[in-house]
Amino acid sequence: MTETSDGGGGPPRVAQLRPGLWDTVNERYPGSMIDKADFVPLAPLRKPLSECRLVFISTSGVQPKGSMPFDTVHPVGDYSFRRVPSASRPDELEIHQLKYPTASANRDLNVIFPLDRLRELADEGVIGGLAENFYTFIGYNMDPERLERTLAEDIAAAVSEEGADIALAAPA
Amino acid sequence: MALDVTEHAKPPRAVFLPWMMGHHFGVPFHRDLQRRVILECLDHLVSAERSGEVRTLPIPWVQARKEGIEIERRLGLRP
Amino acid sequence: MSLQYLKDAAAAGDPEKLIRYVRLHFGDGNEEAGRREIDKAWIEALKPLLDVPPTDREFILETIRTRDPATLAHLFFHLHFYLVQRSGEWIHDGNL
């Protein structure tokens, strides 16, 4: 069951498939999990969605075939990112990541990297368009400070250079 | 997949899906579901009023999977 | 484990923390699975040598002599995954 009720007559609470994951991972890999003290201020949307260019950012390890594979064996992780042209076809991409089940994504990449669906929404005018590139990296990194200082900021700089208005970020 | 991980990281806007890892936009060949997840995110982007609001999509994993199997049958991808 | 945790363990000479981390890495978060994976890799390393085929010892010795320790250690991690993949039993499907 994924739906539970708090019994108080409020809206149903949706439970995660593996309860207590943050505590479990934090116990096995002390200090590796991100825990922010405060919420960042909410950035308001400044124009209609139909005029916004969207960038997709993903920890799926999806990358163009022929680009240097993400380093899935390194014990401390890989802090590099790949640009994935948003005009790519799924058969031009491949996945280099070990830590999540990829069987479904290998049959239909859209379950983790929905580039066909995003393109459809852009073609229909629901969103204004797609940034020229999407951005990917892998999610097994043992140095959260370095992740934030380099990888996150490098991607943020690249994204703003491309003139994206909105970002959809998805873990894997 | 993990609501508690999301809550610790405190993203300004998030949509939580109670599904298996590696399936954040649903199941293979289920275009409607994949699209619905993205539309839910876009709607949350427009309508969220305070930072840290987590929206949920109350579609259990078992339902997503069942619908996916039915679609694959119709497409002749499984018996 | 954060990188600092591992660096502190290395500085303090605490091998238990370090090997536990390696096992967790190879076992995708499951220490027992990681222990079995290490055994599996060594078994796969042994098997192709039992018939004593010719091997490229010049390449091996040249590589060890000319490459820096970090590159060789990185290669060792690559070889682990290469060998467990050769075993035909691949656990890294994210389901552990």
Side-chain angles (χ1 to χ4, degrees):
Chain A
M1 288 296 287
T2 53
E3 281 183 59
T4 58
S5 167
D6 60 7
R13 269 185 61 77
V14 178
Q16 63 192 61
L17 279 186
R18 291 163 68 184
L21 192 71
W22 193 89
D23 290 332
T24 307
V25 176
N26 208 41
E27 185 274 320
R28 291 177 191 170
Y29 303 92
S32 68
M33 296 296 277
I34 290 172
D35 188 17
K36 293 281 178 192
D38 297 308
F39 294 104
V40 296
L42 200 63
L45 200 58
R46 294 210 169 83
K47 50 181 161 176
L49 268 183
S50 58
E51 292 172 21
C52 289
R53 267 159 69 91
L54 181 144
V55 64
F56 180 58
I57 302 166
S58 160
T59 66
S60 57
V62 168
Q63 56 183 104
K65 283 179 182 169
S67 59
M68 174 63 90
F70 284 114
D71 190 347
T72 56
V73 311
H74 198 290
V76 176
D78 184 339
Y79 299 81
S80 66
F81 66 84
R82 304 284 178 276
R83 284 184 175 83
V84 178
S86 60
S88 304
R89 292 191 319 270
D91 64 4
E92 294 172 323
L93 306 175
E94 60 190 8
I95 302 172
H96 287 279
Q97 171 63 312
L98 301 176
K99 309 288 184 189
Y100 72 90
T102 50
S104 291
N106 283 325
R107 296 169 64 227
D108 178 5
L109 196 64
N110 290 288
V111 301
I112 200 72
F113 198 85
L115 80 173
D116 291 330
R117 298 297 86 76
L118 287 169
R119 210 148 41 216
E120 287 161 12
L121 292 170
D123 290 345
E124 293 166 23
V126 176
I127 48 177
L130 302 176
E132 189 180 343
N133 293 296
F134 292 162
Y135 290 81
T136 60
F137 54 106
I138 60 172
Y140 184 81
N141 294 302
M142 286 303 118
D143 189 352
E145 277 173 32
R146 184 172 173 198
L147 181 82
E148 193 163 347
R149 209 176 49 241
T150 62
L151 189 52
E153 292 192 5
D154 289 349
I155 291 179
V159 163
S160 47
E161 264 175 39
E162 288 208 20
D165 303 297
I166 56 176
L168 175 61
Chain B
M1 201 275 297
L3 185 58
D4 58 357
V5 174
T6 305
E7 287 171 343
H8 275 279
K10 295 187 175 57
R13 297 174 178 92
V15 174
F16 170 67
L17 304 150
W19 302 340
M20 190 180 167
M21 275 175 84
H23 299 78
H24 286 71
F25 294 90
V27 292
F29 315 112
H30 197 331
R31 290 170 171 230
D32 290 344
L33 185 61
Q34 294 164 3
R35 182 184 168 95
R36 187 172 162 193
V37 173
I38 300 169
L39 289 174
E40 199 77 30
C41 295
L42 293 173
D43 190 56
H44 190 44
L45 177 67
V46 175
S47 60
E49 289 180 352
R50 54 187 170 80
S51 183
E53 223 174 286
V54 179
R55 184 185 285 207
T56 57
L57 192 59
I59 299 176
W61 173 239
V62 64
Q63 182 188 333
R65 215 167 150 255
K66 208 168 134 189
E67 290 176 5
I69 289 169
E70 194 45 50
I71 287 166
E72 288 192 38
R73 284 211 179 102
R74 279 209 301 276
L75 294 171
L77 297 170
R78 67 163 74 212
Chain C
M1 285 158 215
S2 69
L3 187 57
Q4 196 53 50
Y5 176 94
L6 296 172
K7 282 182 172 173
D8 290 347
D14 190 339
E16 257 320 299
K17 282 182 181 163
L18 297 173
I19 190 62
R20 178 163 188 253
Y21 176 71
V22 175
R23 291 185 197 123
L24 286 167
H25 179 36
F26 289 158
D28 285 351
N30 181 323
E31 192 177 356
E32 243 342 281
R35 204 189 288 267
R36 287 194 298 274
E37 288 291 288
I38 292 170
D39 288 351
K40 238 166 76 182
W42 281 107
I43 291 163
E44 288 305 314
L46 176 64
K47 283 186 338 198
L49 296 176
L50 293 177
D51 292 334
V52 202
T55 58
D56 190 345
R57 294 199 68 224
E58 277 179 22
F59 160 76
I60 296 168
L61 293 173
E62 173 78 0
T63 302
I64 293 173
R65 192 175 63 76
T66 57
R67 296 300 193 270
D68 62 278
T71 298
L72 292 173
H74 199 168
L75 175 64
F76 195 43
F77 275 92
H78 269 280
L79 287 173
H80 167 87
F81 283 98
Y82 163 79
L83 288 164
V84 295
Q85 196 153 28
R86 271 183 62 102
S87 78
E89 191 199 338
W90 184 248
I91 65 163
H92 303 287
D93 54 7
N95 286 321
L96 276 178

